[in-house]
Amino acid sequence: MPIAAVSSRMLAVTEEMRAVMDFAQRVLEGDGLGPDACDFMFGNPQEPPLRGLVDALVRHAEPHDVHWFGYQKYDALARETVARKLSETRGRSYEPADIAITAGGFGAIAAALLAVLEVGDEVIYPRPGWFAYGAQIRGAAGTPVAVDLSPVNFDLDIEKIAASITPRTRVVVVNTPHNPTGRIFPRAQLDALADMLAAASERHGKVIYLLADEPYARLVFGGNAHISPADSYPHTLIAYSYGKTLLAPGERLGWLALGADMPEADRMRLREAVDIAQVSHGWAFAGRTLQRALPDLEKLCIDVTALERRRDRMVESLREAGYDLPVPEGTFYLIPRSPIPDDMAFAARLAADGVWVLPGSVAQLPGRLRISLTANDVMVERSLPVFAQAIREVAA
């Protein structure tokens, strides 16, 4: 009988996602994640959605004509809104034609990679980092190349990135504010990276793109400011998701912007490539209702001040209990060091008392835990005695 084959590329994608998929399956199949569980795992909302989000979706879903839900790649007002917001906040002129409205951050990254990669091209991305980078790179027929951040303060290691560049390198991914460390990379580092990429592009005779993954750009704390790599390097593509600022990751809305300083001839080629990438990827444009709602949604954001208070409460309490953890400058994650080397085992110990965190081994952070501050304040207060008791037990 003939063998029923599947795509070797999808098999490779599956292996890239194996750790997180296996963990999620164990959690979902278990009986511990009940209604009283403290869920700090994947950044799912634990509070009611923003009222403005609900109102906007309801308002823009009401049809005005027979074509209301027909095919349309981009809503003109959505593109204009993003371009205007970027121009206002970043001091550069962004054009609506350079904005692709996507199905979330996943869609933005996929469109960028599909638009520029040849089969086998290498994409450098940070480690630790978002657990889906490798999968998305392989899904676009690229080759993922993980480069470690500095172990001291999780800064970019420009020398390591430079040493990893080969004639096959096509994209370097920078995620800032960085998931999961919360680091905002300083301008000096981004400028140094830009100089290095410009020299490497010249040396190899082709542009190496920088993909700036910026879904946490508005979630910054303590007077910090978001710093975009696009301000340092002209050949930057910016990926953004509204799932973080609205705390609605299941509503897939985001955008991909071409850098405002990119040469016009290169932008013209990329506009069409990104457009066709979305078509070929299964008509991956954001839905029409979400696109129509985008001008209203752009004005909304979760309460960053409350998020910062939650960060401070947990950092102080966990440190008092004996945990070692840095203070994130942005995002909504904490990454305490596991009190024992086996972070999976320690996460299981916390789960036994109803506190669910992401083991660091699942998120390229072996020996640490990832705690999502999207848990509500009641969960935070209920969890703190559990964290304290667990570390006392292993220290005894």
Side-chain angles (χ1 to χ4, degrees), residues 34 105 115 174 251 308 340:
V174 172
E251 296 296 330
E308 184 171 358
I340 59 175

Side-chain angles (χ1 to χ4, degrees), residues 5 39 49 92 160 164 340 361 372:
D39 183 357
R92 284 167 165 78
K160 282 186 179 178
S164 300
I340 59 175
S361 296
S372 176

Side-chain angles (χ1 to χ4, degrees), residues 237-269:
L237 296 91
I238 308 169
Y240 183 79
S241 168
Y242 289 94
K244 311 304 181 186
T245 52
L246 301 177
L247 205 54
E251 296 296 330
R252 308 305 302 157
L253 181 63
W255 46 257
L256 180 72
L258 308 184
D261 297 331
M262 190 181 297
E264 176 64 21
D266 295 342
R267 294 213 312 272
M268 289 178 62
R269 283 190 288 268

